[in-house]
């Protein structure tokens, strides 16, 4: 079932066309990764469908309703965005994660027992239980990213947008964050749309990849179908040795010059 539809969206910055006539449909419970070379419009598209950047033309619809006509509070109950670097906060981990419940509370409403149970569960799943009383500013970059991830999950969105969530992390913490994505994907409890630079990560953690080239969708579909040698040549101008696990259908790539 399609829950998000970007219909003929286009956008320009300083009279330079960044996205042109994008048609994108996102189905419930699936994980999508937007890939493409620098300047192809990946983050612009993500921010547009995450209600951060209104398109110049076209529309974005969530369950058939214009996403940009929803109230901020209503939108925050439906979607959440995790950026590359959300910075620090002078709060404890549990205090910051609790802010994820704000869209679900009336004005001046307090966190209740049900909220506390959800917050504890989210922190358990994101491996933050032992850090709940630590100040966020004192955490490592990887730990802080998990805290912001937990805040987003505490919102209980139907769609979670991730804008290059592993960019500033070492390999260990990259996989740490992506394993949370993997769990969400396995349980189909929330739809995920993310931008990733690492093409092997995109293939391993996605149901579908959306390949952008010069502000247009070049291809969209399962990684093992879309990410072939022709795609690498046309879009990234490189060659690739492609290895496929026949049992899982997961593909791996070794990039090489043409």
């Amino acid at each position: 079932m399609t829950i998000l539809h970007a219909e003929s969206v286009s956008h320009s910055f300083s009279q330079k066309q960044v996205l042109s006539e994008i048609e994108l449909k996102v189905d419930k419970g699936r994980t999508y990764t937007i890939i493409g070379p620098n300047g192809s419009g990946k983050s612009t598209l993500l921010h547009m469908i995450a209600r951060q950047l209104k398109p110049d033309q076209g529309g974005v619809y969530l369950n058939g309703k214009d996403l940009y006509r929803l109230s901020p509070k209503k939108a925050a109950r439906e979607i959440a965005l995790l950026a590359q670097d959300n910075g620090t906060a002078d709060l404890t981990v549990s205090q910051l994660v609790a802010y994820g419940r704000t869209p679900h509370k009336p004005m001046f409403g307090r966190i209740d027992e049900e909220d506390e149970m959800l917050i504890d569960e989210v922190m358990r799943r994101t491996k933050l239980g032992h850090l709940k009383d630590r100040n966020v500013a004192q955490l490592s970059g990887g730990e802080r990213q998990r805290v912001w991830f937990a805040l987003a999950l505490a919102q209980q969105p139907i769609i979670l947008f991730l804008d290059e969530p592993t960019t500033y992390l070492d390999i260990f913490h990259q996989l740490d964050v992506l394993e949370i994505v993997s769990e969400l994907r396995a349980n189909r409890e929330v739809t995920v749309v993310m931008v990733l630079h690492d093409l092997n990560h995109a293939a391993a953690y996605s149901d579908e990849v959306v390949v952008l080239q010069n502000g247009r969708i070049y291809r969209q579909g399962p990684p093992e179908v879309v990410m072939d040698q022709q795609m690498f040549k046309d879009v990234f101008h490189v060659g690739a040795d492609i290895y496929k696990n026949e049992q899982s259908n997961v593909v791996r790539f070794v990039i090489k010059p043409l």
Side-chain angles (χ1 to χ4, degrees):
M1 183 182 88
T2 298
I3 59 172
L4 183 78
H5 181 197
E7 184 176 8
S8 300
V9 296
S10 300
H11 197 75
S12 300
F13 289 113
S14 301
Q15 299 184 329
K16 179 182 179 182
Q17 194 80 20
V18 179
L19 294 176
S20 302
E21 295 292 317
I22 294 289
E23 287 281 344
L24 176 64
K25 291 185 177 181
V26 173
D27 291 343
K28 182 178 179 180
R30 293 175 66 78
T31 296
Y32 297 77
T33 300
I34 303 169
I35 63 173
N38 289 342
S40 59
K42 300 185 298 297
S43 288
T44 300
L45 176 57
L46 187 81
H47 287 184
M48 194 168 294
I49 61 179
R51 201 176 179 272
Q52 302 295 305
L53 180 66
K54 192 172 183 178
D56 295 336
Q57 297 177 20
V60 183
Y61 302 94
L62 181 66
N63 286 325
K65 297 179 180 179
D66 187 336
L67 181 61
Y68 282 85
R69 289 183 178 272
L70 298 180
S71 70
K73 189 164 187 174
K74 171 65 174 175
R77 289 198 294 265
E78 305 287 349
I79 62 176
L81 171 66
L82 180 67
Q84 294 179 29
D85 183 7
N86 294 280
T88 61
D90 189 20
L91 297 166
T92 67
V93 169
S94 59
Q95 287 172 334
L96 183 58
V97 175
Y99 273 101
R101 301 305 302 151
T102 302
H104 300 274
K105 311 300 291 184
M107 188 176 292
F108 307 119
R110 295 186 177 184
I111 298 295
D112 58 25
E113 185 176 350
E114 185 176 342
D115 294 320
E116 293 283 4
M117 290 176 62
L118 175 63
I119 291 165
D120 288 343
E121 172 62 15
V122 165
M123 289 198 294
R124 182 194 66 77
R125 292 176 60 190
T126 50
K127 304 175 185 177
L128 293 169
H130 64 295
L131 298 173
K132 66 178 183 178
D133 296 322
R134 288 276 300 277
N135 190 294
V136 176
Q138 298 173 344
L139 303 180
S140 69
E143 289 169 338
R144 285 200 304 271
Q145 191 71 327
R146 274 193 283 132
V147 175
W148 290 102
F149 211 129
L151 184 154
L153 292 180
Q155 285 181 233
Q156 292 185 299
I158 61 173
I159 303 183
L160 175 60
F161 297 98
L162 308 175
D163 187 7
E164 300 183 32
T166 61
T167 295
Y168 299 114
L169 305 182
D170 58 34
I171 293 174
F172 174 83
H173 287 104
Q174 286 179 29
L175 296 178
D176 205 21
V177 167
L178 288 171
E179 282 305 308
I180 301 173
V181 173
S182 183
E183 181 185 340
L184 296 174
R185 180 186 176 196
N187 294 334
R188 304 295 183 188
E189 63 189 276
V190 61
T191 304
V192 177
V193 183
M194 57 184 172
V195 171
L196 291 176
H197 269 299
D198 190 303
L199 300 181
N200 279 303
H201 287 167
Y205 292 95
S206 309
D207 294 304
E208 293 191 28
V209 292
V210 180
V211 186
L212 286 188
Q213 181 185 40
N214 299 325
R216 297 180 181 272
I217 293 180
Y218 171 87
R219 285 184 192 165
Q220 177 181 345
E224 67 273 15
V225 175
V226 169
M227 301 175 78
D228 59 13
Q229 290 177 334
Q230 191 64 47
M231 185 277 294
F232 280 99
K233 180 180 179 181
D234 290 347
V235 176
F236 293 96
H237 308 296
V238 296
D241 292 327
I242 302 175
Y243 303 91
K244 183 176 179 180
N245 184 315
E246 296 299 334
Q247 293 181 329
S248 66
N249 273 345
V250 173
V251 287
R252 292 283 186 271
F253 316 104
V254 176
I255 308 300
K256 60 184 182 181
L258 287 173

